[in-house]
Amino acid sequence: MRFAPSPTGMFHVGGARSALQNWIYAKQQGGVFVLRIEDTDAARNKPEWTEGILSALDWIGIERGGYEGPYFQSQNAGEHRAAAQRLHDAGRAYFCDCTREDVQARTGSQYTGYDGFCRDRGLEAGEGRALRFRTPDEGVTVVVDLVRGEPTFENKLIEDFVIARGDGSPVFLLANVVDDMTMGITHVIRAEEHLPNTPKQQLLWDALGVKPPIWAHVPVVVNEKRQKLSKRRDKVALEAYKDEGYLAGAMRNYLMLLGWAPSGDREIVPWSVIEDEFRLDEVNPSPAFFDEKKLRAFNGEYIRALGVDEFVAACQPWLTGTDTIAPPPWQPEEFDAEAFAAVAPLAQTRIAVLSEIVPNVDFLFLAAPLIDEAAWAKAMKEGAADLLAAAVAAFEALATWDAESLKSTLEAVGAERGLKLGKAQAPVRVAVTGRTVGLPLFESLEVLGRERTLSRLRAARVRLP
Ligand code: GLU
């Protein structure tokens, strides 16, 4: 089994899904998982993309050192050229000097494939001459695909495709086949997008005299409009999800459900269950909807399943900032680990992604809350000034500063004004935290402390007419 990403951009969630499927399948079969970086598209490759692939795989549980590789396709360039040469020498490929315009002029269409003009011209190799594979005129190519059965392709509909460019460099189709051959790959699990390449590649396997692998083309991943996830339109980078605070466990559980489900009515299951139960031949070939809402819900469940200490540790990157995660709005010296630990259990049950920790706790560490003006306008209606003044007076008189006393006090202040607790809380919450929603108010006030709570309430009162 191999996973063969091209380092041409951020690592895609669909790629992560294929990698996991390969990884599990290799384990189940007692096979070897090989990582091969297909870096032959020099114009689009960047070393940092390769590093991004390695670290994204590591994050999702395919750890460095736990597989063979990474190998680099470019290191096998000699083999690619040798295979092209062998195909030519065996009469299975021929040189061609037709331009696209030539073909169009002859066929009268820009859509038909190559017309075979150079098939029997016996051209020698030369600058600008591409090498084309001579596809059989008759018969069919049957692909054995664990997800799709046996897709069958008529050979006469497969054009004589290019296997090496005019400068002699082999193209992806050939390099990919030669690498799989060299590495003794028996199963190719990859995205559905490659299915149209498969009959051509299988013809190459046959022509090179090696038994083709078993294929599995796993379904394309689509957005809510049933469009293929695209990096220009959709959030596709695994890193983006990581930096937003998705847990690796939730992410890989969710990815494995794209086109497959474990037994029973379960979706959130331990990884060991997925490793046991996953069957490639149970993968549904139709497009798989990447439902971010569902992923968020999954992630919330995974967050709630953490121990509090694990949760606190998991939040650290957002509490401090990293290379890729923006720093929080407070200064490092303003952070108070004890106060954070006190509210962490309250936050743990409420957030769906870890980055949401920051707006939930920033009021604890900033000298003054970040006031959301829309929230302010909503909460500070008529009567708010009077309520805040009364709350200040009542809170000042409290003997003990704890959530329960704060609650009963504000309840009483509200009741005197004919307000239910929820209504009475709103201006207090906005005055103290700057927002209309957040952690349970009275626990928050307890942790924030008497001085800071009162000074924020007073400051808000002063701002009101
Ligand atoms: N390098 C190809 C890609 O990233 C993978 C081809 C394959 O898996 O065979 O799409």
Side-chain angles (χ1 to χ4, degrees):
M1 265 59 62
R2 92 301 197 268
F3 177 57
S6 305
T8 51
M10 296 292 275
F11 188 51
H12 193 289
V13 287
R17 186 268 321 253
S18 307
L20 288 170
Q21 291 174 331
N22 270 289
W23 176 250
I24 295 178
Y25 196 70
K27 265 198 172 178
Q28 289 177 344
Q29 303 288 315
V32 177
F33 175 98
V34 177
L35 176 64
R36 180 173 77 232
I37 305 290
E38 302 213 310
D39 60 342
T40 35
D41 186 349
R44 292 169 64 213
N45 289 328
K46 285 200 197 133
E48 57 265 38
W49 297 134
T50 297
E51 186 43 44
I53 293 170
L54 298 184
S55 59
L57 288 176
D58 198 63
W59 179 66
I60 204 88
I62 301 180
E63 291 167 7
R64 291 175 210 233
Y67 49 81
E68 242 190 61
Y71 296 112
F72 291 85
Q73 183 157 69
S74 54
Q75 288 168 348
N76 210 16
E79 288 293 327
H80 308 153
R81 282 178 188 265
Q85 186 68 44
R86 279 207 306 284
L87 290 168
H88 177 258
D89 294 349
R92 303 303 305 267
Y94 59 89
F95 287 103
C96 161
D97 62 1
C98 301
T99 63
R100 200 180 302 242
E101 291 72 31
D102 294 339
V103 180
Q104 252 182 57
R106 285 197 300 268
T107 59
S109 157
Q110 63 190 85
Y111 301 111
T112 43
Y114 184 61
D115 60 353
F117 182 77
C118 291
R119 264 193 158 199
D120 301 309
R121 288 177 67 210
L123 291 179
E124 293 296 321
E127 184 55 35
R129 291 184 176 171
L131 188 61
R132 288 187 182 273
F133 184 74
R134 189 189 297 274
T135 60
D137 296 326
E138 294 173 353
V140 291
T141 296
V142 182
V143 163
V144 177
D145 188 304
L146 289 177
V147 175
R148 284 157 212 281
E150 296 194 348
T152 300
F153 302 85
E154 277 202 61
N155 291 336
K156 67 168 186 274
L157 299 180
I158 305 175
E159 66 170 337
D160 284 354
F161 54 93
V162 170
I163 56 175
R165 303 180 188 89
D167 62 4
S169 60
V171 303
F172 158 76
L173 276 182
L174 178 65
N176 179 264
V177 164
V178 171
D179 288 347
D180 283 343
M181 256 174 214
T182 320
M183 292 174 173
I185 299 299
T186 53
H187 291 73
V188 170
I189 305 169
R190 63 181 179 182
E192 180 180 353
E193 290 90 310
H194 288 290
L195 187 59
N197 291 331
T198 311
K200 297 179 182 172
Q201 292 195 304
Q202 184 155 305
L203 286 170
L204 291 174
W205 283 83
D206 291 339
L208 289 164
V210 185
K211 182 170 171 276
I214 294 185
W215 311 87
H217 287 92
V218 296
V220 62
V221 182
V222 296
N223 65 17
E224 70 283 355
K225 295 193 186 121
R226 314 302 284 172
Q227 298 159 317
K228 184 177 153 186
L229 282 197
S230 115
K231 63 178 167 197
R232 268 169 293 284
R233 187 181 45 224
D234 306 299
K235 185 164 66 183
V236 300
L238 195 63
E239 287 257 303
Y241 288 92
K242 177 182 175 212
D243 288 349
E244 207 178 318
Y246 284 91
L247 297 176
M251 193 72 197
R252 66 183 188 172
N253 185 162
Y254 182 70
L255 289 173
M256 287 303 293
L257 297 189
L258 295 172
W260 177 80
S263 64
D265 228 356
R266 304 171 299 172
E267 291 197 303
I268 296 184
V269 288
W271 187 244
S272 57
V273 169
I274 294 183
E275 283 191 333
D276 280 351
E277 292 193 2
F278 176 68
R279 293 289 172 271
L280 247 188
D281 55 12
E282 285 173 12
V283 170
N284 183 334
S286 25
F289 172 34
F290 189 90
D291 183 351
E292 200 179 333
K293 282 208 194 89
K294 188 164 167 180
L295 172 60
R296 269 179 69 83
F298 261 54
N299 203 58
E301 297 271 333
Y302 271 85
I303 287 178
R304 286 187 277 289
L306 296 174
V308 178
D309 291 349
E310 290 172 311
F311 174 69
V312 169
C315 289
Q316 288 310 309
W318 290 271
L319 301 178
T320 56
T322 68
D323 292 356
T324 52
I325 296 171
W330 59 81
Q331 294 303 313
E333 62 279 8
E334 291 179 311
F335 182 72
D336 173 349
E338 217 171 292
F340 181 71
V343 297
L346 306 172
Q348 189 178 358
T349 57
R350 283 173 174 74
I351 63 177
V353 291
L354 293 172
S355 57
E356 288 171 356
I357 193 64
V358 173
N360 272 287
V361 301
D362 57 3
F363 73 96
L364 277 177
F365 310 123
L366 291 166
L370 293 168
I371 303 279
D372 166 359
E373 292 304 330
W376 177 276
K378 200 165 141 203
M380 301 300 185
K381 299 250 167 72
E382 219 193 306
D386 165 55
L387 181 113
L388 288 177
V392 169
F395 288 169
E396 275 173 339
L398 276 178
T400 52
W401 189 263
D402 59 62
E404 219 164 289
S405 318
L406 287 159
K407 181 177 173 200
S408 53
T409 305
L410 189 64
E411 218 161 15
V413 169
E416 283 163 17
R417 285 158 184 77
L419 297 174
K420 291 230 171 71
L421 183 60
K423 285 261 185 263
Q425 275 193 63
V428 173
R429 183 187 286 282
V430 172
V432 173
T433 70
R435 301 174 214 274
T436 45
V437 287
L439 303 182
L441 180 64
F442 301 106
E443 280 87 345
S444 300
L445 300 185
E446 180 181 325
V447 177
L448 187 65
R450 186 189 292 265
E451 291 316 313
R452 287 197 293 168
T453 302
L454 289 174
S455 83
R456 288 179 190 191
L457 292 175
R458 287 189 200 107
R461 169 66 197 87
V462 169
R463 227 189 111 177
L464 287 170

